[in-house]
Amino acid sequence: QVRLVESGGGVVQPGGSLRISCAASGFSFSGYGMYWVRQAPGKGLEWVAHIRFDGSKQYYADSVKGRFTISRDNSKNTLYLQMDSLRAEDTALYYCAKDPFYHGDYLYYMDVWGKGTTVTVSS
Amino acid sequence: DIVMTQSPDSLAVSLGERATINCKSSQSILYVSSNKNYLAWYQQKPGQPPELLIYWASTRESGVPDRFSGSGSGTNFTLTISSLQAEDVAVYYCQQYYDIPLTFGGGTKVEIK
């Protein structure tokens, strides 16, 4: 079945960096756009970034633009989020999620979600 | 940015009764050429990731019980649970995908009365 498993979360100091990953299985990863969505403790959902199925285009929320980089390795069925210049307000559970359309040409909704990995920014 | 406003913030409904959640967008999310509303609904149970319930405002995701239905167009949308079950206790979110950035409503917590 379709499965997304995030990893790499942890505690990092303000101004630090962290890279989180999402291993995909059960579907043709290279054919689908992917998302990162985060949820601060006790709060709602916030879209963070999207990458096109072939990696040719990325989109970011203003809150992370210039600090976070989404990327993918289709040969390893893995999605990444490189997070630099981290701030306390980046503390959240980070979910990766899948686009519903094969070779989709835009951003849509998220039809499958992972369980998330926790990132804590604290000194 | 398109702001999504959900109401109420929480509601308590008796088992077997109807639950209605509203979602309002700050601008129309109806794409006229396709006549599709770019709205999705998710359910998030405690300690779990969100799950897709509804997309295109009214299309139920495969496997979602038919007691869940979505309606509305333009800027006003509704998620209805026709007969609340114990397993429906969750927070429900709407999300627009008409424009970037993708935005979510603040969530509605549904509890049993």
Side-chain angles (χ1 to χ4, degrees):
Chain A
Q1 76 279 20
V2 176
R3 196 166 180 233
L4 300 171
V5 179
E6 301 90 339
S7 62
V11 180
V12 59
Q13 291 190 338
S17 298
L18 195 66
R19 188 178 81 158
I20 59 177
S21 304
C22 171
S25 60
F27 67 104
S28 179
F29 179 74
S30 62
Y32 292 87
M34 296 294 294
Y35 303 88
W36 286 102
V37 177
R38 68 185 180 183
Q39 187 168 34
K43 301 297 184 183
L45 302 169
E46 180 188 15
W47 169 72
V48 173
H50 173 273
I51 187 167
R52 192 177 144 97
F53 63 93
D54 58 2
S56 64
K57 188 76 175 171
Q58 304 85 36
Y59 301 88
Y60 298 93
D62 284 347
S63 58
V64 307
K65 199 173 295 182
R67 300 188 299 122
F68 289 12
T69 303
I70 187 172
S71 63
R72 64 191 298 160
D73 186 337
N74 285 346
S75 68
K76 294 182 178 178
N77 290 347
T78 303
L79 175 73
Y80 303 100
L81 186 67
Q82 176 67 42
M83 301 181 288
D84 298 321
S85 302
L86 281 160
R87 306 166 180 166
E89 53 264 35
D90 296 318
T91 295
L93 181 61
Y94 284 75
Y95 296 105
C96 73
K98 173 185 160 291
D99 192 274
F101 300 113
Y102 183 78
H103 283 198
D105 58 356
Y106 193 58
L107 283 67
Y108 297 95
Y109 50 91
M110 301 95 185
D111 67 344
V112 179
W113 297 63
K115 295 188 185 308
T117 188
T118 299
V119 173
T120 303
V121 184
S122 174
S123 55
Chain B
D1 298 4
I2 298 176
V3 177
M4 306 299 290
T5 303
Q6 288 184 233
S7 63
D9 292 335
S10 65
L11 75 161
V13 176
S14 300
L15 289 172
E17 296 300 305
R18 179 184 300 259
T20 301
I21 300 168
N22 301 301
C23 175
K24 185 176 179 65
S25 56
S26 60
Q27 66 182 74
S28 177
I29 54 175
L30 170 64
Y31 196 61
V32 175
S33 62
S34 64
N35 197 34
K36 287 186 172 182
N37 288 281
Y38 280 48
L39 183 101
W41 288 97
Y42 302 88
Q43 175 192 65
Q44 186 176 31
K45 296 181 180 180
Q48 295 187 23
E51 287 190 6
L52 176 66
L53 290 177
I54 303 278
Y55 54 94
W56 301 127
S58 60
T59 303
R60 203 178 300 116
E61 172 73 335
S62 175
V64 173
D66 61 7
R67 64 180 179 273
F68 291 93
S69 63
S71 63
S73 186
T75 62
N76 290 285
F77 301 90
T78 300
L79 175 70
T80 301
I81 309 173
S82 61
S83 176
L84 191 75
Q85 304 300 303
E87 60 265 33
D88 301 334
V89 168
V91 179
Y92 294 83
Y93 295 94
C94 60
Q95 177 232 327
Q96 66 81 20
Y97 46 101
Y98 182 90
D99 198 10
I100 300 169
L102 306 181
T103 48
F104 292 87
T108 295
K109 186 174 184 179
V110 174
E111 300 172 308
I112 304 296
K113 185 187 291 183

